[in-house]
Structure formats: structure tokens, C-alpha cells
Amino acid sequence: MAPVLPKATSLTYFAEGGANVLYRIGIPTSSTMDEIPPTEIDHYSPATPQPTALEAWQVDLDQPDHSYLKGNLLRLRKDLPTVTTILEGQRDFHDHIEPLFEEDEIVMQTLIEVPQATVDQLNAVLVAMDNGGYRPKVFSGVYLAKSECGQLVKDMSSPPGRGWVTVELKPKWLSQSPNAPAGARRCRTCALGLARAAEGAWSSDSPTFDCTLCPLDLVSGIESKVERAVRAILNKSQVHGVSDSSLEKRLVAYFLTSPLLTKIRYLQQKLDPVGIIGAIAEDKGFRTAMTLRDCSLYLKIPPVETGAIEARIGDLDLKSPKKTKRWRSIEQQLISRGWYEKDGLGFCGLLS
């Protein structure tokens, strides 16, 4: 049976993606219980900046009743037609994702019961953030699904003020698309990046792609290519308070020696050998491969150079078969408009 979110929980908006919203979890201490309401969800007026951390008094997760919350974030699903429910997502994670990896390679997730009244309050906060302009515009107008379940996911953010750094990236397609033409000069990720940079976003919810980072560089095993990729990652991450040269050196060493990304590349190839155009939309192997082509890699880096980097992949909700039509359309456009064969903005590790 899933644990229940305690009534005294305080939740603070942390981040969101296309399918989920993440919240930091705070439990008021016994000394402050008389000073605040039994349930408090932070509300923010249009004049209040978006929060990124909890006040110190809100957190006391060492109590035995709350220890299962320590080190975790609360993850709640958005109300979208192409998104599976939390229960379905947890089942798919357990059946199709978790068996592929070691426990220390993935961001673990477990179910937790969340009262509908809490979800309603959180939606009211999102509406207020929309009205105040404090949510990313691409997510505005989309709110949490009606559900009494959420997920606890491991918090991979770094402790503030202690010299730790967390770098996050999406490795994307770590090998060429099986549908790419024989004369391709760009990998799937770089072809799409060039197309979107040249033609603009193909839809209002399309992200801007980075044409300076080629995923193939990360798994090339060639030091100069890995260095090029790491520099692009750090430029995008805008890490502050850490020596760039030291961090770059450590990340290069990690990517040259870690088997995690090569494992993801192997699984992408094995689970989708025919490519998007010929794939069966409902096939769990294909959907798992597409999930691994859109996962996030979190690198939690300690301040001591000799300390080991903690690396895990997250955003592992099994992709819905409803997305296949759009994926197929994009792939066909990349082929028919010649984006795989074009030179231009940026570069690609396929040939360089």
C-alpha cells in the first residue's frame, strides 16, 4: 500500500516538464506547528518571484514518520490526452524500465497518495503563477490531472552553498536513426536541430534545439569529441561558483569511462531496430526506445575532485503510442526536406 502525503506537508513549486510538475516537500517541525495552518501550500502573488527553495523552518524530514520523504520530490501528472495516468506510469516503469537498469543508474520513483483537495490547491497556485507570468509560457494553461496518486522521485538537485553542482542534459538519440538516408551527414538529433533552427519551431510547443551539442560526441570514446560536447553542456548549464576547467576535466573523464550512456545507446538500438517509420505504435519495445531517446541525465558532482559523480537518468515515463503519428511526421519531413544531408549551422559528430 502506498504511503499517504502527511496533512502538515508544505509543497513548493520546483520545476515542470511536458508531462509533470515537481514540488519540494516540507514538513513543519513540532516547534512551528502552532504558528502555521495544518496544511499549507505556498501561494504566490503576481508581485512575488517564483520560489526555488523552502525556508529552513519548513523542513524536518528526520522524524520517523516522515523519513520516507527525505531526499525526494513530489511528482504530479498533468492533465493531457497523450499522458498516461500515474498508476499506469508506475506500472510501466516497474515492468519495462526498471528491469533494464541497476538501481543506482535511474531516478527511482514510488507511489504516494495525495488528497484531491491538495491537487486542487496546487492547481490554484498554477493558475496564479500563470496570471503573474511566473510559469514558462509553453506550459501555461495546462494543469494537474485529477488524481489521488503522485510519485516520490529522488531529488538530484545539489545542496545550496556547499560546492556541489548538478548538471542536467538530455542525451537524446545516441545512435543514428534507422530511417536516415544512406548519404546522411547529420545524426537524427542534429538533423532535427538544424531544421528547427532554419525553419523555426514546427509547432507552438516545439523547443529550441541546441546545434552545438551532438549526442554522438558523448559516446564516441574520443577525447577531443567528448571535450567539445562537455563545453557545450557547460555553456548551456551556466554553472556558477565552480572552476570551469576543473568541472570540464571531471565531466570529460566521466563520459570517457562511464558505461551508462553506452548502455542507453545499446538499448535504443536493440529496442527499435526498424525506426519510427516502420515501427508498430503499440509495441512496448519501440515505446521504451523512444522513452530512452527523451530521458534526462542528472550528474550530481561533489566539491572534492576525488569524489565520485552520481549519475542517474530520469523522465522515464513510457511514451504513449498516441505520439507515434507526430514522430513519424517529423521523421518523414527530415528525410523529404533533406535535413539529414545538409551542412550548415553547428556541426555533427557523425562525420566530424
Side-chain angles (χ1 to χ4, degrees), residues 257-268:
T257 58
S258 171
L260 181 55
L261 286 189
T262 54
K263 182 177 186 175
I264 296 171
R265 178 180 61 183
Y266 166 76
L267 290 169
Q268 290 177 357

Side-chain angles (χ1 to χ4, degrees), residues 216-229 252 255-256 349 352:
L216 302 191
D217 281 352
L218 289 173
V219 289
S220 66
I222 300 172
E223 187 169 357
S224 60
K225 290 190 173 187
V226 174
E227 288 175 346
R228 180 170 64 184
V252 168
F255 285 117
L256 285 172
S352 61

Side-chain angles (χ1 to χ4, degrees), residues 21-38:
V21 183
L22 290 171
Y23 295 90
R24 285 200 181 277
I25 305 169
I27 304 295
T29 65
S30 56
S31 62
T32 60
M33 287 295 288
D34 295 333
E35 302 173 18
I36 59 175

Side-chain angles (χ1 to χ4, degrees), residues 235-256:
N235 286 339
K236 186 176 182 181
S237 299
Q238 296 181 324
V239 176
H240 300 291
V242 178
S243 166
D244 287 345
S245 60
S246 171
L247 190 56
E248 180 180 323
K249 180 180 178 181
R250 295 172 71 186
L251 287 175
V252 168
Y254 167 78
F255 285 117
L256 285 172

Side-chain angles (χ1 to χ4, degrees), residues 195 199 202 331-342:
E199 298 185 348
W202 290 353
E331 186 78 344
Q332 289 168 339
Q333 290 181 64
L334 292 177
I335 295 170
S336 64
R337 298 181 186 180
W339 290 113
Y340 277 108
E341 294 104 328
K342 288 185 180 180

